[in-house]
Amino acid sequence: MIPDESKRTFRNHPSVIASYMLSTAVVIVVFVLLGLRDYAYDHLMEAAAIILIIVLAAAGWAYFYWKRTFYIFEDNEIHITRDAVYKMNKHIQYTRLASVGVRRDLVNRIFGTSTLTFNVNSSMNAQSAEATLVLKSDMADRLRNELNSMIFEKKETVTEEREYMSLTKVSNTDVIIHAILGQPTWQALFGLLMLFYAIVMLFAESSGGFITAVVMLVISEVLPFISAILKYYNYRIYRVGDTITVESGLITTRRNSFKVNKINSVRIREPLLARIFGKAMLEAEVVGIADEDNNNAPVLCPLKSRDSVVRLLGNLLPEFVFESTPEHQPRRALVPMLLADSVFTVVIVAVCLALFFTAETYLVDVSETWTFVVRATEVLAAIAVPLLIYGHSGMAQKHRTFDMGENSFMFVYGGYDICTEFINYDKVQYTYVTSGPLQRVFGLAKCSVHMMSSIGYKEITSGLFEPDDLERVADEVNARVADGRYDYRRYL
């Protein structure tokens, strides 16, 4: 198929072939190391011929794929067509775009190109762009300016935007602190457990167990740490009219813009380690835009002092925040929480001890070191598990609050990691208030709010409050529909 040349038609820059070949080279290296290592030593020429055939086949396929793919920018949509082994026609309406981002990785920098990323208002592809287009940087900037002007009604060009001051100063030191302290508590505990396991395996002279522990430690702690620094380095955020733009990146730079009316909720998240140092981070739920490095919630501000984050939220999204006089979770809520914790504690500790006692019977005559490790772990589990469970309820009781404003309502929830979330009434899909047997005795209930998140559906659950107070959320959502305050056209 030859595209209509009277319309704006583009083809990816040929550097995409180099990117594809770079990925192919990595696969070939792994293939040689794992599959052809012994064969290559004895049959060097044959192995080289096999690798050459693979490289030529990959290059031919990449060229064919590149040559037959076109991006046509029509009046109302992007039309992507490919006539290769399979024919493909993809239509992306401009009105459905959540953002038009710019990404520049190492290959882009070498060839002087930029990658335009097109994310739509859908949870199906939030972790990856619906389409990408690689162009020379100046052409990519011009095209993005045109699309932003049409989609987001932005008059400023990319060059002009670079002159805007960030609404908050995020130093690279802040980014490093974010990489260390910004992880959820469960992830930090898992990392400590793997570190402890690696030390034990080292003293037990178990090379297999030591390597496994180190690999898990690298995956859970080291790689996320490096990834966070590379991603959020040189962080900037600013708002122009109704459009928010976020820029960051060290090796691969990113620039994403999205409209305020696409935000469903915004939260101040305070992991336990960060809260000890008075730090917090700002996140948002924007359908169609996900951050795979942060549990799919786009980061509006890496870890900074809580006062700085609250101040940024007020300047960046005044539509969401309100003067709050929060209602704290009633003290009587602690009774059903602790009763439930007691049941969980007995069950979990019993299962753990049963497993450890079983393991100990098999290790009595095997190794004194292993026997000591198992017995030490028994004591640790018997003490740590109840403390963690009861401690979670104690912290939850201290922090859980609820309040309602004009355009949004607020839930503060969590135990070790605290979240203060402001939710737009108009973005709520449905709510339900439930009261379990223990909670009903004390006249308490919890409210579950369902809405679209950055990826898939999200359920946010409040603490335990008076049922009538929680029912006011659903009443307000319905009232806004009935009296016309809710207007779907505002969110298109």
Side-chain angles (χ1 to χ4, degrees):
M1 170 186 169
I2 303 298
D4 186 354
E5 295 297 335
S6 64
K7 299 176 181 178
R8 298 288 304 279
T9 302
F10 296 88
R11 180 187 282 137
N12 275 312
H13 189 271
S15 61
V16 297
I17 300 175
S19 296
Y20 181 82
M21 293 307 298
L22 183 62
S23 302
T24 302
V26 174
V27 174
I28 290 174
V29 169
V30 174
F31 178 65
V32 169
L33 291 177
L34 298 181
L36 289 178
R37 180 176 56 187
D38 296 333
Y39 180 82
Y41 288 148
D42 300 327
H43 306 83
L44 185 60
M45 294 302 296
E46 291 87 343
I50 293 174
I51 293 174
L52 180 61
I53 291 172
I54 295 174
V55 170
L56 292 176
W61 170 250
Y63 176 81
F64 180 69
Y65 191 90
W66 166 79
K67 188 75 172 178
R68 309 287 289 185
T69 304
F70 297 93
Y71 295 75
I72 308 168
F73 289 81
E74 301 180 349
D75 293 337
N76 300 311
E77 65 179 12
I78 306 172
H79 178 201
I80 305 171
T81 176
R82 181 182 304 122
D83 189 5
V85 178
Y86 294 97
K87 295 186 67 173
M88 184 271 288
N89 282 283
K90 180 184 291 186
H91 299 266
I92 305 174
Q93 294 180 341
Y94 296 136
T95 56
R96 298 300 180 189
L97 283 174
S99 73
V100 179
V102 179
R103 186 180 70 241
R104 299 195 74 213
D105 57 21
L106 188 59
V107 175
N108 291 134
R109 292 173 184 273
I110 293 173
F111 288 93
T113 60
S114 296
T115 302
L116 293 177
T117 60
F118 303 96
N119 291 79
V120 302
N121 292 314
S122 168
S123 65
M124 298 302 294
N125 71 322
Q127 288 184 312
S128 60
E130 184 71 17
T132 60
L133 173 61
V134 180
L135 299 171
K136 294 295 287 185
S137 292
D138 56 348
M139 175 59 72
D141 286 345
R142 286 200 298 271
L143 180 58
R144 183 173 182 267
N145 290 337
E146 293 177 15
L147 293 175
N148 281 340
S149 175
M150 178 171 28
I151 301 166
F152 303 117
E153 300 178 355
K154 291 177 64 176
K155 298 179 181 179
E156 294 79 6
T157 65
V158 172
T159 303
E160 292 171 338
E161 286 184 5
R162 293 190 180 116
E163 303 301 321
Y164 278 98
M165 293 290 294
S166 178
L167 286 176
T168 185
K169 179 176 175 53
V170 178
S171 68
N172 292 329
T173 301
D174 291 330
V175 173
I176 295 173
I177 293 174
H178 173 85
I180 298 172
L181 304 179
Q183 58 186 324
T185 298
W186 67 264
Q187 184 177 338
L189 288 175
F190 182 78
L192 288 175
L193 181 62
M194 289 300 101
L195 179 61
F196 171 75
Y197 184 61
I199 294 173
V200 170
M201 293 299 102
L202 183 63
F203 281 102
E205 299 181 351
S206 173
S207 58
F210 175 75
I211 293 174
T212 301
V214 169
V215 169
M216 296 301 294
L217 181 63
V218 169
I219 293 174
S220 65
E221 294 292 328
V222 178
L223 292 182
F225 171 78
I226 296 173
S227 177
I229 292 176
L230 294 179
K231 183 165 188 175
Y232 299 123
Y233 216 72
N234 298 324
Y235 195 91
R236 295 178 65 235
I237 183 169
Y238 51 90
R239 175 172 174 172
V240 181
D242 291 332
T243 301
I244 293 174
T245 301
V246 178
E247 300 178 2
S248 66
L250 182 56
I251 297 175
T252 298
T253 60
R254 298 172 175 84
R255 184 189 301 114
N256 285 311
S257 298
F258 52 88
K259 299 191 75 170
V260 171
N261 62 11
K262 302 300 182 183
I263 299 176
N264 291 353
S265 72
V266 60
R267 80 177 64 90
I268 299 172
R269 185 164 69 85
E270 302 170 79
L272 178 61
L273 288 175
R275 197 165 69 252
I276 292 173
F277 294 94
K279 303 285 186 179
M281 58 192 297
L282 189 63
E283 302 173 343
E285 294 292 352
V286 187
V287 177
I289 303 176
D291 185 345
E292 65 275 10
D293 293 325
N294 189 57
N295 296 318
N296 300 316
V299 173
L300 300 185
C301 181
L303 279 180
K304 287 182 66 67
S305 70
R306 195 181 193 282
D307 290 342
S308 298
V309 171
V310 171
R311 188 163 51 251
L312 171 63
L313 175 58
N315 294 332
L316 184 67
L317 293 168
E319 300 90 340
F320 279 83
V321 295
F322 54 88
E323 288 293 333
S324 177
T325 54
E327 173 187 348
H328 285 268
Q329 182 171 272
R331 294 183 64 180
R332 66 181 186 276
L334 195 56
V335 179
M337 292 168 61
L338 294 179
L339 289 174
D341 287 345
S342 299
V343 175
F344 290 135
T345 300
V346 170
V347 172
I348 294 174
V349 171
V351 171
C352 289
L353 293 180
L355 291 175
F356 290 136
F357 287 149
T358 303
E360 187 176 338
T361 58
Y362 288 99
L363 296 172
V364 171
D365 299 323
V366 175
S367 169
E368 291 184 1
T369 302
W370 276 106
T371 303
F372 171 77
V373 169
V374 171
R375 288 176 177 173
T377 309
E378 290 173 7
V379 175
L380 181 64
I383 297 174
V385 170
L387 287 177
L388 289 173
I389 293 176
Y390 288 118
H392 180 274
S393 292
M395 289 193 175
Q397 173 66 27
K398 178 181 178 182
H399 293 99
R400 284 179 179 173
T401 54
F402 161 63
D403 199 7
M404 296 176 62
E406 182 179 355
N407 298 310
S408 64
F409 59 99
M410 179 190 75
F411 282 165
V412 179
Y413 57 91
Y416 294 111
D417 296 350
I418 303 299
C419 292
T420 302
E421 188 136 3
F422 295 88
I423 306 167
N424 188 340
Y425 289 116
D426 295 340
K427 298 302 181 75
V428 174
Q429 294 189 319
Y430 66 93
T431 69
Y432 59 85
V433 176
T434 58
S435 182
L438 287 175
Q439 299 160 0
R440 202 158 48 242
V441 171
F442 294 90
L444 299 170
K446 59 183 178 181
C447 178
S448 296
V449 177
H450 289 253
M451 64 177 185
M452 289 293 292
S453 68
S454 295
I455 176 170
Y457 290 95
K458 183 177 181 65
E459 178 181 355
I460 301 171
T461 303
S462 72
L464 298 175
F465 298 92
E466 299 280 351
D468 292 342
D469 291 342
L470 296 175
E471 291 285 0
R472 289 163 46 212
V473 174
D475 293 341
E476 180 64 18
V477 171
N478 294 329
R480 292 176 66 86
V481 175
D483 62 22
R485 281 178 291 166
Y486 168 73
D487 184 357
Y488 72 92
R489 291 169 295 187
R490 191 186 315 160
Y491 304 106
L492 294 178

